[in-house]
Amino acid sequence: MKFQIEDVTVYFPYDHIYPEQHAYMVELKRALDAKGHCLLEMPTGTGKTIALLSLITSYALSKPSSLVKLLYCTRTVHEMEKTLAELKLLHRYQRLHLGDAARTLALGLSSRKNLCINPAVVSAENRDSVDAGCRKLTASWVRALAVENPNIPTCRFYEDYEKAASDAVLPPGVYTLQDLRAFGKEKEWCPYFLARHMVQFANVVVYSYQYLLDPKVAGIISKEMQRESVVVFDEAHNIDNVCIEALSVSVRRQTLEGATRNLNKMTQEIQRFKNTDAGRLRAEYNRLVDGLAQRGNLPIGDTWLSNPVLPDDILKQAVPGHIRKAESFVSLLRRLVQYLKGRLETENVEKEGPVAFVGSINAQVGIDQKTLRFCYDRLHSLMLTLEITDTDEFLHIQTICDFATLVGTYTRGFSIIIEPFDERMPHIPDPVLQLSCHDASLAIKPVFERFQSVVITSGTLSPIDLYPRLLNFNPVVSRSFTMSLTRDCICPMVLTRGSDQLPVSTKFDLRSDPGVERNYGRLLLEMVSVVPDGIVCFFVSYSYMDGIVNSWNETGILKEIMQHKLVFIETQDVVETTLALDNYRKACDCGRGAVFFSVARGKVAEGIDFDRHYGRLVIMFGVPFQYTLSRILLARLEYLLETFQIKEGDFLTFDALRQAAQCVGRVIRSKADYGMMIFADKRYSRHDKRSKLPGWILSHLRDAHLNLSTDMAVHIAREFLRKMAQPYDKTGGSGKKTLLSQEDLEKVGNGSLGEMLF
Amino acid sequence: MNHIEHNNGKGKRLNREDNEEDDDEEEDERDLEAWERAYADERSWESLQEDESGLLRPIDNKTLHHAQYRRRLRALFSTANAARIQKGLIRYLFLVIDLSRAAGEMDFRPSRMVVVAKQVEAFIREFFDQNPLSQIGLVTIKDGIAQCLTDLGGSPESHIKALLGKLDCSGDSSIQNALDLVHDYLNQIPSYGHREVLILCSALTTCDPGDIMETIQKCKKSKIRCSVIGLSAEVFICRHLCQETGGSYSVALDESHLKELVLEHAPPPPAIAEFAIANLIKMGFPQRAAEGVISICSCHKEAKFGGGYTCPRCKARICELPTECRICGLTLVSSPHLARSYHHLFPIAPFDDVPPSHMSGTHHRLPNNCFGCHQSLLNPGKYNVPEANRVGFGGAEEIGLKMVEEIIGLMERNGGGNMPGPCVACPNCKQRFCLDCDIYIHESLHNCPGCESFRQPKSVAAVQE
């Protein structure tokens, strides 16, 4: 369908549109008009992605001069593919209406692991080794050698891509990662380098958060994007954590040992070069005198990492004299590693600010702040000079330099915490030195400054006023939309008491109470006998899950559960979890029924959907607070209070509730779907906790469902499931319109236009 | 609104995990209000009605139910009429009754399986009433094993007796086993017969020995139409099974809904396209044997005295019709059976609603009585207000004007007094009927009394001319 929003003609590939999608588009359009940032919350299953894509591309089509590019950031490769598939549909529709005027180039960009088509390289098990494998074949010096000696292997796809030179372009269209690989295979061009090249010319780029937020990657991939681009962060409820992780480094004993090995190897290499090719080192020295700005001159294949957010003037400064020489730089790094080793020996927990830390480095090993700042680039340059291709082995020393540069650059918003052992296992020494970033706004600041419109959207952004404070920006539009439903297809409940009427909670003092564990067990047992197909349970932590599953096993509850449904458990091992999920789905498909035990904040809670019969019920056992005694969290809370005046209680509750909302939100993925959510903890019945849940859950949380015991919950579940199994009218009948056709929209459009005029 | 203030106070307090407190007493208080509020929102007392003497009257849902019934009737009629759908009149139906552990649950009183047995009994009778040419077999699932309780047959009594004798539940349910068993039986049915399975499923899980998807495909290939009625919730595999094989899937809300759902399967379903080719079926119409003759019965294999029928081809004795001759395999029916099946193909059109305004005018030419039962349509029997009472209201000046208004309003709402009750009219003969007659005509009679009684003289007249 085709309709007007103010002065923009929107092309929407479906015949009907939900009212909230329309409202979403109107708000988004206003934000684009105002050239500002916006925050939009809309429940999952209402077609957020297609609304975003169709509005922004239509906007670009109707105002060709105003918008240059859409940068769409997703969290996972799977979401990336889904987005591109939607875009394909949209593009086909636009082509149908506009013909060649709608020609666009849209593509996904991912790591080599997902794009490489060289069978020898892509078979490596992890991302870093694929990257290293690629570099071994494509680095400029390797290729130079290969010209002389045909026995040295190169990648034929890359060679062909290089040969095609400026002819190597993608014709307009929408390319998923799969399409890119297919195209690459057909033309025998390397899809990874082709995609990276084409990103500059594309109208729509879909890639992961890291390409914009992680300063190391952002520098090379996203630096050429125009200011007029629109940046979209989808599923952005955890964006502050992504930002923080991008700037946090932790150093363990293994890291330091690895770094020492790396340094030894580098010394050997330097020695070898000195004997054979002293000119190279000399040339590097000269280059460094000119400053770091030379990086642009290096061929694209070799610039694999760039410096963290450095102020521009540093890039133009010359590298400090005493680290220009390779040997002196390596010996400086040795001193730094030695110093860190010494710090790790400590028996007590230590906490320091960056300034004090740099001061102590300067005093003890004589490295000043400015030198530290250059470590990352200097290392990078040295590795190029030494022609090191197996970068995956040199990760340790890279971590150290990353650390040094961050410490040297920032004086606020960070702290350095050294813990000699894990809080929870005090008898096992496991010293770790963490540089933790407290300020999410640091990493995202350049994005807000560089681009004129940044859209942050997710199904759960409640409370919506906290995000601007955390990320330190001013949105022109911030709104939360609710879902228009033809029937009450979600049924949230707060369970406060077990079957014996005693309160249940994962509160610290009640946590290990056998009564609470038994009550939780009884709840699940009752539920497996009334809920069909899949049930998902979320626990507050791995250790809590282990404990409670053990106790259920001992008391025989687990066995009784197994009579009704099979039980699958998420573990920290990704492969195991994937296998468990796979079998869980199979059990749901064939009617055997299954329960999946999972952990809030785990991989499953974040990225896996339990829609339709894969999740008819989700139980959140307890409130998923962060581990409140963690030093990093305490430091962050302190910082938040000082800098943004966010109270620690507020932040903890906000963080716990958004995790809980995220977990239970997994169960509803579309309007035709239905599901129940049980919040099994008495603390959820309190207003301050409950009110932080997203509006679309709250609006279905009836007063009578706020303080239930197990038997009442079972009764409600029975009724609900029976009601939901009845056939229903998808369009919502006569009374409540939940699907709008083109005519409806025109009517609405006239009405709203009239309203605005008055 | 005490509790709200209390909550706000709590919210302001620093709420770290460790220093939370709870006041159970106060929460209990709030709890009471919470459930009270749910009832308050529904305002159920407003639908209560009083009769003239101030006594509470049972809530009258009759009109509502009737409206639902008519909607369904109309939907059925429109689909049947739109394309003149061919219907499968000769049905071979297996009723699968789930007697696994879940059938013992008490959410239906006294237990699911008792309720199911009751409905199955009603269904079997209704089924043979509507489909005299068809046959039913019973299968139960218990302890993960499917068991054939009765073979395909046309005698309602023997099925009912077999089921009621076997009513206990245990173990898991296995839909795959049941389907496999039923498939083996139904695969031998000749191609003019319609193969159907109706599963009454209490359990929410099915523990299968193999891949149920394969079994479903097998049933699909053999053109077995599988329908499921669930007793507690929607199960994916059941929905999948029904979708694949063209059956219907429904879940019962309560006992009366369950009855409705089960009985929906009694009228013959539309024929499956590939079987819809017309072909001739050889049938025998046996004679009733003379009283007092002793002969060996072919169905029970014992000497029987009197009654029974004789197969016209092989002269064997059969106890009941319809059936298949055990000796020569001929389908044996009686002619009323065939005639009774006829109405499915040519149903009576649903009657139209008559708007109340048409009724009120007494000058209207049509009488204000139901054509079927001759009850007055103005004051349907039970709402008749005695004459004396009405006079009493008329002269009640001392009660006060307001009171009278109230009473009249109440009477109007009740459909009492001189207000017309709901009624319907046949689109062909324009005769009016009350709601009870409407249901009776469409469900049991299958003839419109108006049309029948007016056609007679006309056709006679035509002959005379």
Side-chain angles (χ1 to χ4, degrees), chain A residues 15-296:
Chain A
D15 289 337
H16 291 91
I17 185 170
Y18 296 134
E20 60 269 33
Q21 278 179 319
H22 185 253
Y24 187 91
M25 286 187 188
V26 171
E27 292 295 341
L28 189 57
K29 151 102 188 7
R30 286 180 189 155
L32 293 185
D33 279 344
K35 300 190 193 304
H37 312 312
C38 67
L39 261 178
L40 297 168
E41 179 189 54
M42 187 157 88
T44 41
T46 46
K48 214 168 25 217
T49 308
I50 189 68
L52 263 172
L53 290 174
S54 88
L55 183 90
I56 295 175
T57 51
S58 301
Y59 194 93
L61 283 173
S62 66
K63 303 182 178 177
S65 56
S66 63
L67 275 182
V68 179
K69 223 173 241 192
L70 166 60
L71 304 177
Y72 195 102
C73 302
T74 63
R75 278 181 322 175
T76 60
V77 175
H78 177 70
E79 278 168 21
M80 192 187 291
E81 294 282 52
K82 265 204 309 211
T83 308
L84 283 164
E86 292 254 35
L87 192 59
K88 227 177 198 173
L89 197 76
L90 175 67
H91 183 59
R92 201 172 302 143
Y93 183 80
Q94 286 174 342
R95 286 289 294 263
L96 207 73
H97 277 264
L98 289 172
D100 278 354
R103 280 158 75 101
T104 46
L105 175 64
L107 59 100
L109 182 63
S110 183
S111 64
R112 288 180 176 86
K113 173 85 181 146
N114 296 313
L115 279 175
C116 182
I117 49 172
N118 190 333
V121 175
V122 81
S123 57
E125 72 267 32
N126 62 35
R127 213 186 62 198
D128 291 322
S129 31
V130 174
D131 286 357
C134 180
R135 278 189 202 107
K136 266 178 213 153
L137 299 180
T138 59
S140 55
W141 57 89
V142 174
R143 294 179 55 231
L145 277 180
V147 172
E148 294 157 17
N149 180 0
N151 289 335
I152 291 176
T154 55
C155 174
R156 70 189 161 97
F157 299 105
Y158 185 75
E159 294 300 320
D160 286 354
Y161 165 74
E162 279 289 297
K163 252 180 245 154
S166 59
D167 292 339
V169 286
L170 279 169
V174 179
Y175 295 89
T176 61
L177 299 184
Q178 183 117 36
D179 295 337
L180 280 173
R181 281 197 301 268
F183 183 81
K185 271 187 191 145
E186 186 197 317
K187 297 271 184 180
E188 305 249 304
W189 293 339
C190 173
Y192 174 75
F193 286 100
L194 180 65
R196 259 181 61 175
H197 176 63
M198 291 311 292
V199 160
Q200 301 170 37
F201 311 103
N203 305 76
V204 181
V205 183
V206 182
Y207 53 28
S208 103
Y209 277 30
Q210 270 70 31
Y211 288 111
L212 272 181
L213 290 183
D214 192 338
K216 286 168 273 186
V217 194
I220 21 169
I221 305 290
S222 308
K223 69 175 173 215
E224 311 211 333
M225 304 299 181
Q226 296 83 339
R227 173 168 167 72
E228 288 77 15
S229 308
V230 177
V231 178
V232 175
F233 289 103
D234 197 3
E235 300 288 331
H237 45 271
N238 271 348
I239 193 164
D240 55 324
N241 290 344
V242 178
C243 292
I244 284 173
E245 271 161 35
L247 291 184
S248 294
V249 184
S250 68
V251 177
R252 287 173 188 278
R253 206 173 258 165
Q254 299 93 297
T255 324
L256 291 176
E257 279 159 12
T260 316
R261 274 200 306 277
N262 292 344
L263 286 173
N264 288 341
K265 192 152 181 218
M266 279 170 133
T267 320
Q268 284 169 17
E269 287 287 309
I270 291 168
Q271 211 50 51
R272 192 167 63 82
F273 268 101
K274 255 195 180 153
N275 298 339
T276 57
D277 191 6
R280 276 192 78 94
L281 291 171
R282 188 69 216 161
E284 186 200 19
Y285 182 88
N286 290 337
R287 227 171 40 227
L288 291 172
V289 177
D290 297 339
L292 280 169
Q294 41 72 30
R295 284 179 311 122

Side-chain angles (χ1 to χ4, degrees), chain A residues 339-346 350 352 357 360 418 433:
Chain A
Y339 172 75
L340 292 176
K341 260 186 195 158
R343 291 300 300 260
L344 271 185
E345 298 285 293
T346 177
E350 290 174 31
E352 261 173 58
F357 193 77
S360 115
I418 308 169
L433 183 148

Side-chain angles (χ1 to χ4, degrees), chain A residues 318-496:
Chain A
V319 173
H322 58 283
I323 56 171
R324 282 183 208 157
K325 277 188 91 164
E327 298 101 317
S328 47
F329 177 61
V330 169
S331 74
L332 177 135
L333 282 181
R334 267 188 210 285
R335 291 207 307 276
L336 180 63
V337 169
Q338 206 53 48
Y339 172 75
L340 292 176
K341 260 186 195 158
R343 291 300 300 260
L344 271 185
E345 298 285 293
T346 177
E347 305 251 309
N348 308 316
V349 177
E350 290 174 31
K351 191 184 147 213
E352 261 173 58
V355 181
F357 193 77
V358 169
S360 115
I361 292 183
N362 201 2
Q364 293 199 23
V365 284
I367 308 173
D368 64 353
Q369 190 189 4
K370 191 177 171 206
T371 319
L372 281 175
R373 227 185 264 180
F374 279 96
C375 278
Y376 200 86
D377 283 282
R378 182 63 191 90
L379 176 77
H380 171 215
S381 161
L382 181 64
M383 281 171 74
L384 280 184
T385 313
L386 295 181
E387 300 183 347
I388 291 167
T389 50
D390 39 0
T391 42
D392 51 337
E393 282 175 30
F394 282 82
L395 279 179
H396 299 298
I397 190 70
Q398 286 176 34
T399 310
I400 300 291
C401 288
D402 196 4
F403 173 81
T405 308
L406 283 171
V407 165
T409 312
Y410 294 102
T411 51
R412 275 187 58 75
F414 283 82
S415 57
I416 291 127
I417 294 169
I418 308 169
E419 286 175 296
F421 47 76
D422 193 321
E423 232 6 85
R424 280 158 276 192
M425 286 172 281
H427 45 278
I428 305 169
D430 178 26
V432 56
L433 183 148
Q434 282 160 303
L435 173 72
S436 73
C437 171
H438 303 314
D439 192 345
S441 63
L442 287 177
I444 205 168
K445 195 166 155 237
V447 180
F448 282 130
E449 279 172 358
R450 278 255 321 271
F451 299 103
Q452 101 185 4
S453 291
V454 177
V455 180
I456 293 180
T457 186
S458 172
T460 46
L461 283 178
S462 296
I464 205 160
D465 54 323
L466 200 56
Y467 283 89
R469 283 160 78 192
L470 277 178
L471 300 178
N472 198 13
F473 75 110
N474 283 322
V476 291
V477 174
S478 83
R479 260 201 72 180
S480 172
F481 300 88
T482 53
M483 187 159 25
S484 62
L485 292 170
T486 50
R487 51 176 191 170
D488 289 332
C489 68
I490 56 175
C491 175
M493 295 181 242
V494 175
L495 183 123
T496 53

Side-chain angles (χ1 to χ4, degrees), chain B residues 87-96 123 127-128 131-139 150-155 159 181-199 219 222-227 265-272 275 279 281-283 322-325 329-333:
Chain B
K87 296 208 162 177
L89 294 183
I90 304 175
R91 304 165 67 187
Y92 292 87
L93 174 79
F94 262 103
L95 260 175
V96 178
F123 172 74
F127 180 83
F128 284 117
N131 312 279
L133 303 180
S134 305
Q135 300 192 10
I136 279 189
L138 288 183
V139 170
T150 53
D151 283 339
L152 284 170
S155 145
H159 292 308
L181 183 76
V182 168
H183 179 262
D184 290 347
Y185 278 102
L186 286 180
N187 225 6
Q188 304 155 8
I189 298 299
S191 68
Y192 58 78
H194 280 263
R195 305 156 178 189
E196 287 174 58
V197 184
L198 174 59
I199 305 174
C219 290
S222 316
K223 305 278 182 299
I224 300 176
R225 185 176 186 270
C226 306
S227 300
H265 289 271
I272 299 177
F275 286 170
N279 54 4
I281 305 160
K282 200 181 259 178
M283 283 186 184
T323 185
E324 214 165 80
C325 177
L330 186 65
T331 311
L332 300 175
V333 293

